Amino acid sequence: MKALQWMGVNDLAVNDVPDPGLLDDRDVVVKVRRTVTCGSDLHLLGGYIPFMRSGDVLGHEFLGEVVEAGSAVTKHRVGDRVVVSSFVACGQCWYCRQELYSLCDNGNRNPAITEHLWGFAPGGCYGYSHAMGGYEGSHAEYVRVPFADVGAFTVPDDVSDERAVFASDAAATGWMGADLGGVQPGDVVAVWGAGGVGQMAARAAMLLGAERVLVIDPLEERLRMTREFVGCDTLQEGTDDVGAALLEATAGRGPDVCIEAVGMESGGGSAVEQAYDRAKQYLRLQTDRPTALRHAIYHCRKGGTVFVLGVFAALADKFPLGAVMNKGLTLRGAQMHGQRYIPMLLERMARGELVTEHLATHVMPLDDAPRGYDLFKSKADGCVRSVFLPHG
């Protein structure tokens, strides 16, 4: 089969690789119909996640058709159209029973790497380095899905592929940020980042009853899309006075909940702040640029909550711990617990409450995937997400 492989820093290629097969009686094999780029994939492309190997297959956000099922699979049959959570979870360990699926004790096949980095290992993730289990990713014609009864979900007939595929990661991640960030009716919520995850976090906050939601991003085309399809207010980083606008929107207090949806290659801030963060990351004196996170912490109201949705790897310099402590902030973060949210998201998609098709700004065959990543990385031609069609 064909698959998009990481060959080295900023080097991608579509090559022939062996077809996947069942390795466990709880597996299914899925014929991929749609697979989507994610901002966190750019960290792999740029070499900021050090546990990639040449030939690894990328991709973790996907939808497809079951073509083979293990004998212990009870919820899916050959021919079912399924969307798959990007994180691999067993459904039986203590963390899964608490619905903390991305923290599964059995989903990561290489736990020693992240136990050394972070003290404990999270679950596994498709196509996201050997630190996250070394699973082959979804930018391929076929993919093996472990624990299929836990991580794969049948898509309602009236939900299109283009809508349902974003339940795999972007919509589930965004919803988690609003949910675990504690958004309540009447809250004012600020979201840094108008990519797919940021837009979905904003929409989730609205559906959870937030009185006002403001999305902050430097790119006007993304903010225009947010206003049109999400329906919330926007602020343009570098043009608008973000701090003053947030104070004005909250009677001088600051937002109740601030959601960071940018991650370890954040931009924004002053020219000095940008230069400092980029130089430190380039020289590997820090692994992560936390610019947007710093701003979320500084602008959040006293006693408010900051939720970290963007992917971070290890260490960030100039982290405002004093602001977190002295303002009495609650700081939370997580990889997404997709299995907790995907069934509900599919229902909302079927009712038209959650619209995601607009995120697929560039749809192309898998053979064009390297070009899709170039567009996505440079944000050229208004690219928010590139969607690859492995089977035409």
Side-chain angles (χ1 to χ4, degrees):
M1 69 171 185
K2 289 183 178 179
L4 178 67
Q5 294 180 289
W6 186 91
M7 308 306 293
V9 176
N10 295 318
D11 185 10
L12 300 176
V14 177
N15 295 314
D16 290 325
V17 302
D19 290 350
L22 302 177
L23 300 182
D24 186 277
D25 59 8
R26 295 168 291 180
D27 293 351
V28 300
V29 174
V30 169
K31 178 181 179 181
V32 180
R33 291 167 57 142
R34 302 288 188 276
T35 178
V36 185
T37 59
C38 177
S40 59
D41 292 325
L42 298 180
H43 311 325
L44 302 175
L45 185 62
Y48 293 110
I49 306 296
F51 301 103
M52 295 293 291
R53 299 175 187 168
S54 180
D56 285 349
V57 178
L58 296 182
H60 59 265
E61 195 164 356
F62 65 104
L63 171 147
E65 176 185 338
V66 175
V67 295
E68 191 175 0
S71 59
V73 175
T74 62
K75 295 183 179 179
H76 304 292
R77 297 179 299 176
V78 171
D80 284 355
R81 184 172 61 126
V82 296
V83 63
V84 179
S85 173
S86 62
F87 263 77
V88 178
C90 72
Q92 297 178 333
C93 70
W94 186 90
Y95 291 97
C96 287
R97 294 197 304 273
Q98 312 309 310
E99 296 190 307
L100 302 173
Y101 293 99
S102 68
L103 305 179
C104 174
D105 271 337
N106 300 310
N108 190 335
R109 302 183 298 184
N110 301 319
I113 295 174
T114 43
E115 285 173 350
H116 178 73
L117 279 174
W118 303 323
F120 292 91
C125 182
Y126 296 97
Y128 213 81
S129 88
H130 293 268
M132 304 302 283
Y135 291 99
E136 292 184 339
S138 62
H139 295 343
E141 293 181 297
Y142 297 89
V143 62
R144 181 180 73 91
V145 175
F147 307 113
D149 281 344
V150 179
F153 301 87
T154 301
V155 178
D157 291 340
D158 53 352
V159 179
S160 69
D161 286 356
E162 286 71 24
R163 181 172 294 190
V165 68
F166 290 101
S168 174
D169 190 296
T173 302
W175 195 282
M176 181 189 69
D179 178 34
L180 299 188
V183 173
Q184 299 291 324
D187 280 352
V188 176
V189 178
V191 180
W192 272 260
V197 170
Q199 290 188 40
M200 292 297 99
R203 181 59 180 158
M206 295 169 68
L207 291 171
L208 289 171
E211 179 178 308
R212 191 173 180 189
V213 179
L214 303 98
V215 173
I216 301 133
D217 197 276
L219 298 179
E220 172 55 27
E221 59 266 30
R222 293 192 175 205
L223 296 176
R224 188 183 309 116
M225 176 185 290
T226 302
R227 292 191 295 270
E228 179 179 355
F229 293 100
V230 178
C232 66
D233 296 324
T234 62
L235 295 169
Q236 187 170 10
E237 180 83 41
T239 300
D240 296 322
D241 187 335
V242 172
L246 292 177
L247 290 175
E248 183 179 355
T250 57
R253 291 189 304 274
D256 301 287
V257 179
C258 291
I259 298 173
E260 188 278 346
V262 182
M264 64 186 289
E265 293 183 77
S266 174
S270 68
V272 172
E273 187 178 16
Q274 289 187 48
Y276 178 90
D277 280 337
R278 290 178 183 275
K280 292 276 287 189
Q281 189 179 46
Y282 179 77
L283 294 171
R284 297 301 192 263
L285 299 175
Q286 64 176 0
T287 57
D288 307 328
R289 297 200 304 264
T291 317
L293 178 56
R294 278 198 295 257
H295 293 187
I297 290 170
Y298 286 137
H299 290 304
C300 191
R301 71 159 170 84
K302 292 181 289 185
T305 298
V306 176
F307 200 94
V308 185
L309 282 181
V311 170
F312 289 86
L315 301 172
D317 197 8
K318 297 295 188 289
F319 183 80
L321 185 58
V324 174
M325 182 268 176
N326 288 288
K327 291 173 66 178
L329 300 181
T330 296
L331 179 64
R332 295 192 68 175
Q335 296 280 10
M336 70 99 179
H337 308 306
Q339 292 85 342
R340 180 173 179 171
Y341 297 106
I342 290 174
M344 174 271 295
L345 294 173
L346 291 172
E347 291 176 4
R348 289 182 181 271
M349 288 176 171
R351 295 197 299 265
E353 295 176 1
L354 191 64
V355 175
T356 59
E357 295 94 328
H358 66 283
L359 299 175
T361 51
H362 293 69
V363 179
M364 59 191 70
L366 183 63
D367 286 336
D368 290 343
R371 182 175 70 88
Y373 267 96
D374 285 341
L375 290 169
F376 184 46
K377 183 176 183 179
S378 63
K379 299 177 176 61
D381 194 28
C383 185
V384 173
R385 289 289 180 103
S386 295
V387 176
F388 305 134
L389 311 178
H391 291 274

